[in-house]
Amino acid sequence: MTTRTTVIFCSWEFLPVPHYLSFQTGYDCKDAVKRIFSGIQPTGIPHLGNYLGAIESWVRLQDEHDSVMYSIVDLHSITVPQDPAILRQSILDMTAALLACGINPEKSILFQQSQAKTAKEKQNGTAGLLTYPVLQAADILLYKSTHVPVGEDQVQHMELVQDLAQSFNKKYGEFFPVPKSILTSMKKVKSLRDPSAKMSKSDPDKLATVRITDSPEEIVQKFRKAMTDFTSEVTYEPASRGGVSNLVAIHAAVTGLPVEEVVRRSAGMDTARYKLLVADAVIEKFAPIKSEIEKLKMNKDHLEKVLQVGSAKAKELAYPVCQEVMKLVGFL
Ligand SMILES: Nc1ncnc2c1ncn2[C@@H]1O[C@H](COP(=O)(O)OC(=O)[C@@H](N)Cc2c[nH]c3ccccc23)[C@@H](O)[C@H]1O
């Protein structure tokens, strides 16, 4: 499967955003955005990649569209072993983190995947259901989602979702919208230790990944140790200078400035000094989110309530789609 990604400059018509958004091929500016859906695994605190590649655009999209859903995908997280007590806590921690980042349950449905997935007919997760990309397709199609804001690492999964929707439609008639990915200009935030790899929660090198709740000292240390090259000048050349270009891209994204402006302002600065400047900008960006997470985590009842209400709303939306699918397939 190949992916062609087109940057749509006229997307501002309905998505007035600081970063250019890009949509996978087939996107037409006149398309109505009907339902936005995305998900995140509740495994650990979100990092800069999750934030800039996904969560920040989720916050914006909930202000711009009527039907927006975000799922804490606990079923996906058990594809690797999880301690039940830690998983339960991680689900609440992720809820606190998403709320602190600006996800507003009045504007979007924030819910827990396992509590909304099976609607009325409880089937206890079969191997098929838990096969990762198929489960992801079920997440998206269950709500007839049209647009899915994700980072680049999800594009391949999205292609499978598109294929499944198309083959269902071919067999049973036009039913599922073929969902399109929405990618931000920060679709692949790189590891601070290896700019050829993406920043990832599971990176064994603790210096590679900056989490939203890292202390200012940790953030400074991680940026100070970020891998760059032997040229001390700050430039944006992603193909030949991956390390420093990743820093420039992060700097631009957290300050909201264009890349060219960030580079212009750093003229005459060497990369060692520049790393500290980027660290400061990230600390500043995350400080209010970090303190909001701490506040929210003290109110477990509130977090549980948000998920209960969200999961009930998601179930309601899923039920008629499930019924229709069963009719089309011939089960009902
Ligand atoms: N370094 C990075 N740079 C830019 N973006 C990044 C980076 N790392 C992560 N992301 C994005 O963060 C979101 C959540 O990541 P997860 O790994 O939990 O994301 C995952 O594991 C999904 N399979 C969860 C899922 C389950 N069902 C879904 C349905 C729709 C969309 C997503 C889902 C994702 O958008 C991911 O692309």
Side-chain angles (χ1 to χ4, degrees):
M1 276 187 286
T2 54
T3 309
R4 284 181 296 141
T5 301
T6 322
V7 176
I8 308 287
F9 292 97
C10 54
S11 61
W12 61 268
E13 278 176 30
F14 58 89
L15 296 165
V17 294
H19 312 307
Y20 286 121
L21 292 175
S22 67
F23 294 76
Q24 271 179 279
T25 43
Y27 181 77
D28 172 345
C29 284
K30 287 188 224 91
D31 272 4
V33 176
K34 296 195 183 97
R35 175 158 294 146
I36 307 272
F37 180 96
S38 201
I40 189 164
Q41 295 198 46
T43 41
I45 301 292
H47 55 71
L48 252 180
N50 299 132
Y51 183 77
L52 297 176
I55 301 170
E56 199 182 33
S57 74
W58 296 2
V59 172
R60 206 168 42 233
L61 289 163
Q62 69 180 358
D63 285 330
E64 294 163 3
H65 302 287
D66 292 333
S67 186
V68 181
M69 309 179 73
Y70 300 124
S71 179
I72 297 178
V73 293
D74 49 359
L75 292 173
H76 277 102
S77 68
I78 60 163
T79 47
V80 293
Q82 301 285 343
D83 176 301
I86 295 178
L87 179 60
R88 183 75 212 125
Q89 185 58 47
S90 303
I91 292 164
L92 294 180
D93 289 352
M94 181 55 76
T95 309
L98 293 176
L99 295 176
C101 287
I103 299 300
N104 179 346
E106 304 286 315
K107 296 180 183 168
S108 56
I109 298 176
L110 176 60
F111 71 102
Q112 189 182 336
Q113 182 189 33
S114 63
Q115 300 307 303
K117 166 67 60 198
T118 46
K120 240 182 165 178
E121 305 71 26
K122 272 229 170 347
Q123 308 163 347
N124 284 324
T126 61
L129 180 72
L130 292 174
T131 303
Y132 196 103
V134 177
L135 177 57
Q136 181 150 340
D139 284 335
I140 295 167
L141 298 179
L142 187 55
Y143 308 100
K144 288 190 150 187
S145 312
T146 59
H147 292 78
V148 183
V150 281
E152 191 179 69
D153 59 340
Q154 300 300 311
V155 165
Q156 234 187 339
H157 291 327
M158 285 301 299
E159 287 173 349
L160 178 76
V161 180
Q162 289 157 346
D163 284 353
L164 287 173
Q166 272 157 345
S167 53
F168 185 95
N169 290 348
K170 209 163 149 210
K171 190 150 187 200
Y172 299 106
E174 284 304 310
F175 181 74
F176 288 117
V178 178
K180 297 175 177 87
S181 303
I182 302 178
L183 302 172
T184 72
S185 61
M186 296 303 285
K187 59 183 185 277
K188 187 175 179 185
V189 176
K190 316 290 191 314
S191 151
L192 291 188
R193 299 294 286 165
D194 174 8
S196 66
K198 66 163 185 167
M199 186 176 284
S200 151
K201 268 180 207 161
S202 53
D203 198 314
D205 185 343
K206 297 289 161 248
L207 295 173
T209 306
V210 175
R211 292 183 171 73
I212 292 184
T213 53
D214 280 350
S215 67
E217 295 73 26
E218 285 170 313
I219 296 178
V220 167
Q221 195 207 12
K222 289 176 182 180
F223 277 99
R224 202 193 285 273
K225 295 263 168 85
M227 185 188 279
T228 47
D229 49 32
F230 295 109
T231 307
S232 69
E233 206 188 338
V234 177
T235 62
Y236 185 70
E237 297 164 83
S240 55
R241 301 194 67 205
V244 75
S245 301
N246 188 38
L247 299 183
V248 170
I250 291 170
H251 193 191
V254 298
T255 55
L257 293 169
V259 161
E260 305 75 46
E261 180 61 16
V262 163
V263 172
R264 200 186 60 75
R265 291 189 190 187
S266 60
M269 203 181 279
D270 64 18
T271 45
R273 229 178 97 209
Y274 184 63
K275 286 175 180 177
L276 300 181
L277 192 71
V278 182
D280 279 346
V282 171
I283 292 167
E284 199 179 317
K285 180 82 182 177
F286 284 163
I289 298 176
K290 187 169 146 72
S291 66
E292 188 61 21
I293 291 177
E294 277 152 25
K295 258 192 257 159
L296 284 162
K297 276 173 76 169
M298 288 190 295
N299 196 345
K300 190 174 165 214
D301 289 350
H302 171 64
L303 299 175
E304 283 175 343
K305 183 90 194 140
V306 165
L307 290 182
Q308 270 163 20
V309 171
S311 301
K313 285 185 191 164
K315 238 184 217 184
E316 229 171 82
L317 292 174
Y319 187 67
V321 181
C322 264
Q323 292 294 103
E324 278 297 312
V325 167
M326 288 204 262
K327 270 191 219 149
L328 288 170
V329 173
F331 294 160
L332 291 182

